[in-house]
Amino acid sequence: MHDHRDQDQSTGKAASKHRAPAAEGAAEAEAVVFVCATCEIPLTEPLTRLPAVPEAPYYAWWDADEPGPSPSTVPSGCYAIETEPYGAPLVVSEVPAQAMPRYGPIGNGHGQWLVSQGPRGNIVINPGDAHGLELQDVSPACCGATPTGGMNQLCVCGTLVATLCSDCCCPYELHLSADHVRAVGS
């Protein structure tokens, strides 16, 4: 079987910095904990990899009794890797398009559509599976955070590590930055 980890060319040892491990098999997926790449503080409970980010569950936010987030896209105890661009920066698109996965279209107020040119490879988790993060620099929304302004979750060491999407009309998910966290075996 092929080893999915990167190899350091000079030593031949596995290099895992900034990468989520590949699942070896659906039945025997290894749980990992994501830690801040700067200070090594654990940011999640042990999580098991899903083969893909699930579709956001249907949620009639306009009929909700109280404002708040939709049901989470990712089940508790799991994570998935986002293969498409997500978050800031948003750039003008020549054609109407979904701004980012599971988010829908966004206009700039001048009749132009915006799409994400943000990073690929974010680790998408259930926001309830993260701990020790502080919300900062939130894009304006009616009752939660949006990903349009970029990373908005701060580790206790002061490093921006993730983007929370929690507004009532958006998919409820937390995107850990693959450049700012790393996976360790649990």
Side-chain angles (χ1 to χ4, degrees):
M1 175 153 189
H2 183 268
D3 186 353
H4 295 285
R5 296 173 293 180
D6 290 339
Q7 296 291 316
D8 180 316
Q9 297 301 320
S10 62
T11 65
K13 293 182 180 176
S16 62
K17 185 176 181 182
H18 308 305
R19 302 245 167 151
E24 294 299 322
E28 302 213 8
E30 177 183 341
V32 297
V33 172
F34 290 96
V35 300
C36 174
T38 301
C39 70
E40 301 291 318
I41 289 178
L43 302 173
T44 69
E45 299 300 319
L47 304 174
T48 303
R49 185 170 179 176
L50 298 173
V53 180
E55 288 297 317
Y58 175 78
Y59 178 66
W61 56 271
W62 54 91
D63 286 336
D65 291 334
E66 294 184 32
S70 304
S72 181
T73 302
V74 177
S76 186
C78 298
Y79 74 95
I81 305 300
E82 181 61 71
T83 58
E84 298 299 318
Y86 190 88
L90 298 178
V91 298
V92 173
S93 172
E94 297 299 321
V95 296
Q98 185 170 272
M100 56 194 95
R102 299 165 306 284
Y103 195 82
I106 298 175
N108 67 359
H110 302 289
Q112 298 171 310
W113 299 101
L114 300 175
V115 295
S116 174
Q117 277 196 342
R120 293 176 187 257
N122 288 334
I123 299 107
V124 186
I125 69 170
N126 182 318
D129 287 337
H131 51 81
L133 298 178
E134 180 182 327
L135 191 60
Q136 179 170 322
D137 299 325
V138 178
S139 296
C142 68
C143 61
T146 69
T148 58
M151 288 198 291
N152 57 24
Q153 294 285 289
L154 202 61
C155 175
V156 295
C157 73
T159 302
L160 281 167
V161 295
T163 304
L164 176 64
C165 184
S166 64
D167 192 48
C168 62
C169 63
C170 301
Y172 186 44
E173 42 195 53
L174 182 66
H175 288 243
L176 299 171
S177 167
D179 290 335
H180 297 93
V181 303
R182 67 183 191 84
V184 296
S186 61

